[in-house]
Amino acid sequence: APAWPLKQGANALEGITFPQTWPWEAADFRRDDEADDAVFYGSPRFVTHIDDAAIASLRAWYAVQLPRGADAAVLDLCSSWISHYPGDFAAR
């Protein structure tokens, strides 16, 4: 596995091996609640999933680890109504 913290451009999957055959069945991907998602997402849920100390820790870690500058780009797949990025963080 690559050394941590990862250097920019490092292959995060270096040394990882994957199963030779698909290990899951369709049932493994069934949801507990098969109701229409529109019902669940019909009203906003402003939930803070981690406490303030955890958010502060993430912000401090991101301040050191995230790339900076005009060429920096970040895809935030787990965005929230509360940002965990440092207050001065800017990316395209």
Side-chain angles (χ1 to χ4, degrees):
W4 190 258
L6 294 177
K7 292 184 173 52
Q8 188 171 357
N11 178 359
L13 299 178
E14 178 184 322
I16 302 298
T17 58
F18 295 95
Q20 294 293 321
T21 59
W22 185 253
W24 296 281
E25 299 176 14
D28 296 327
F29 295 94
R30 285 198 193 100
R31 302 181 304 174
D32 289 335
D33 179 358
E34 291 289 344
D36 185 352
D37 286 345
V39 174
F40 179 83
Y41 291 107
S43 60
R45 288 173 173 77
F46 294 108
V47 177
T48 304
H49 294 282
I50 58 177
D51 65 25
D52 292 340
I55 292 171
S57 294
L58 272 175
R59 286 184 178 148
W61 189 84
Y62 285 152
V64 173
Q65 299 299 325
L66 289 178
R68 299 283 183 138
D71 293 333
V74 175
L75 174 60
D76 185 357
L77 296 176
C78 297
S79 63
S80 172
W81 70 286
I82 298 172
S83 176
H84 300 136
Y85 292 144
D88 65 342
F89 181 74
R92 57 182 172 102

